[in-house]
Amino acid sequence: MEKIYMKNNNKQSTFQQVFQSQLSKKLTASMVLVAFFSFLLIGVGNVSYAAPVTIPEDGLGDSFTTQLRENFRILGSASNNQTFTVEGYQSTTGIPIFCLERNVGFAGDTVLTKSNDAITDQGLLYTMAKTYPHEYFKYYGKDTQFPDQVQVWLTQAAIWQYLYETGADQNLGKPEELQTMQDVRSIYWEDDDGYHVCDIDGCYTSDTQADSTATFYDTYIAPIVKNAKQATSVNGQMTISKANDEMSMTDDGYYQTSLITVSNTAPSNLVSFKVRIDGAPDGTIIVDEEGQEVEDTTGLEKFYVRIPADKVTEDNKDMQIAVDGTFRGYEGYYYRATGAQTVSTVYTTDVPHTAYLPINITYTPEVPDTGMNLAQSIYFIGLIVLLCGVGIIYANTKPKQRQQ
């Protein structure tokens, strides 16, 4: 039998430590407060970092209204002087949303309704789970995350690239646009604080400072898309297997399986799991590695199954062991409206997964004992020999009687 396999980032402030030296003892408390709040109002850096986005348990709900994000017209500059532009959109409640149809224009101030079909494309789920706002892109080789504008540009570009490579509807037109995206080496935008430009090494206030020749595509997007195309499940899965197909017989009349092992593909996201048996004969039990019966199978990783031999019939010789697990994973739905681009976002939720292991019992039905013991066999053979001898004597004697 083959095996059956079933950031929240604490944003780093852009403010630098401003009071490096000791304040004069003559500086009053009121002056300190005034100076501090002045810094808060003015700001030290030119890039603002918003707080991490929290997506509700039900994601975008049954419907929502679209909204253009202020100061989120973000341009990527390629070496051929072409640009790849991404507009940032969100729900009116502030949840970022991303476009899934590059060839269709986005409709702002539009009510989009949740479709009945959940996102089952594991690669798309993977792409959205591994990007903003669930995971934040950081300066290359550093622990500082890019501002949200760069996060949005990279996330949207990654989604469109994945959908293009997998042949998704409304994403195949104008491939030259994606060629430009792949050559982008700096990302820039303007907001109330002025002009901002970033390369993979950091963010600055002038183009001359963004001098890296590395592309954002090669550094951040291509690895995500590659993994997404190979993803079989972005959420965790339970696995269950047995050591071999052999069964032993216990002294008290049970068939016993080989050692069965339960594991999973995402231990850090596992909430809980429990083992059960379907279709087993009455009296079937689960025992641990020491042979002790287990009643509560929650979290049971290694065990044996014992089946009473006298209860096995043709109808119940096939059964299956199941392990029901729950993971903290990702789900998402498509949101649509007539004439508008399909959009979505993914959210974290408890995702169930069950793995199965079939067990087949090879047994011999009990039949009445019609055999004879050794003494009976010898007696029976002797009786046959005796009768044969009598017959031979009789056959030889009768002709002599006739001759007389």
Side-chain angles (χ1 to χ4, degrees):
M1 188 75 64
E2 63 179 357
K3 295 182 179 179
I4 308 299
Y5 287 101
M6 298 291 342
K7 280 175 149 178
N8 182 27
N9 289 291
N10 290 323
K11 292 274 191 180
Q12 294 188 358
S13 173
T14 56
F15 301 117
Q16 303 296 322
Q17 179 94 25
V18 294
F19 296 117
Q20 297 280 338
S21 59
Q22 290 186 345
L23 294 173
S24 169
K25 293 181 180 180
K26 296 180 180 181
L27 187 63
T28 64
S30 61
M31 293 174 64
V32 173
L33 290 174
V34 170
F36 177 72
F37 284 109
S38 295
F39 270 100
L40 288 179
L41 292 173
I42 297 173
V44 175
N46 289 309
V47 177
S48 61
Y49 295 85
V53 177
T54 300
I55 299 178
E57 288 287 322
D58 61 346
L60 292 164
D62 292 330
S63 65
F64 67 92
T65 302
T66 61
Q67 183 182 70
L68 176 66
R69 296 184 71 174
E70 187 177 356
N71 297 321
F72 271 76
R73 188 171 192 273
I74 314 131
L75 293 84
S77 179
S79 60
N80 59 0
N81 294 322
Q82 298 294 312
T83 58
F84 184 84
T85 303
V86 169
E87 300 273 9
Y89 293 93
Q90 63 184 10
S91 69
T92 51
T93 57
I95 299 175
I97 53 178
F98 295 95
C99 304
L100 306 182
E101 293 175 320
R102 185 168 56 89
N103 298 348
V104 179
F106 184 86
D109 299 318
T110 301
V111 176
L112 298 185
T113 303
K114 180 180 180 180
S115 64
N116 293 326
D117 49 328
I119 297 176
T120 57
D121 183 337
Q122 295 300 311
L124 179 57
L125 282 176
Y126 178 92
T127 301
M128 299 184 77
K130 295 299 181 181
T131 52
Y132 172 86
H134 301 286
E135 293 190 15
Y136 282 71
F137 297 99
K138 297 180 179 181
Y139 298 172
Y140 181 69
K142 300 176 184 177
D143 198 34
T144 303
Q145 63 192 33
F146 286 106
D148 284 358
Q149 283 84 351
V150 178
Q151 306 288 346
V152 168
W153 191 95
L154 286 168
T155 298
Q156 186 63 80
I159 291 171
W160 280 337
Q161 182 67 32
Y162 168 78
L163 292 173
Y164 174 78
E165 291 191 22
T166 55
D169 291 342
Q170 300 295 345
N171 281 279
L172 300 181
K174 297 182 179 180
E176 66 275 9
E177 293 178 351
L178 292 181
Q179 289 296 321
T180 297
M181 179 274 292
Q182 294 175 17
D183 193 41
V184 165
R185 303 179 185 190
S186 63
I187 296 173
Y188 63 94
W189 71 97
E190 289 190 67
D191 57 22
D192 294 339
D193 293 327
Y195 179 79
H196 310 279
V197 59
C198 304
D199 61 15
I200 69 164
D201 296 321
C203 293
Y204 321 97
T205 57
S206 69
D207 290 329
T208 57
Q209 293 173 284
D211 56 3
S212 174
T213 58
T215 66
F216 281 93
Y217 175 80
D218 288 336
T219 308
Y220 301 104
I221 296 173
I224 290 176
V225 173
K226 178 182 178 181
N227 291 334
K229 292 171 68 176
Q230 299 173 348
T232 56
S233 177
V234 66
N235 300 317
Q237 293 185 322
M238 300 304 303
T239 62
I240 180 170
S241 62
K242 60 181 183 291
N244 54 59
D245 292 330
E246 296 179 2
M247 279 200 176
S248 58
M249 179 67 76
T250 65
D251 293 338
D252 51 354
Y254 285 87
Y255 292 115
Q256 178 169 297
T257 65
S258 61
L259 183 65
I260 296 172
T261 302
V262 173
S263 59
N264 69 87
T265 62
S268 60
N269 294 334
L270 180 66
V271 177
S272 64
F273 71 88
K274 190 169 186 176
V275 176
R276 59 183 169 86
I277 305 176
D278 297 334
D282 291 340
T284 298
I285 61 174
I286 291 176
V287 299
D288 60 21
E289 293 181 273
E290 284 71 45
Q292 300 299 312
E293 183 176 356
V294 178
E295 295 184 357
D296 183 3
T297 61
T298 301
L300 185 63
E301 295 181 341
K302 293 181 181 295
F303 59 92
Y304 301 90
V305 175
R306 288 183 179 177
I307 306 103
D310 60 352
K311 296 295 180 66
V312 177
T313 67
E314 186 65 29
D315 294 330
N316 62 21
K317 66 183 180 65
D318 295 318
M319 66 189 74
Q320 66 180 1
I321 304 169
V323 53
D324 300 314
T326 300
F327 294 85
R328 197 63 181 166
Y330 295 93
E331 284 188 352
Y333 287 83
Y334 299 100
Y335 287 79
R336 300 184 174 99
T338 301
Q341 187 185 81
T342 299
V343 305
S344 187
T345 193
V346 298
Y347 56 95
T348 55
T349 185
D350 285 343
V351 180
H353 182 266
T354 300
Y356 299 94
L357 179 69
I359 300 292
N360 175 266
I361 305 171
T362 302
Y363 78 106
T364 302
E366 185 176 349
V367 295
D369 184 7
T370 58
M372 296 181 292
N373 58 33
L374 181 60
Q376 290 174 325
S377 299
I378 295 174
Y379 174 82
F380 183 70
I381 293 172
L383 180 60
I384 293 175
V385 172
L386 177 62
L387 292 175
C388 289
V390 171
I392 293 171
I393 294 173
Y394 176 77
N396 291 331
T397 303
K398 196 153 186 174
K400 293 181 178 179
Q401 291 177 343
R402 289 178 180 175
Q403 292 175 1
Q404 295 175 355

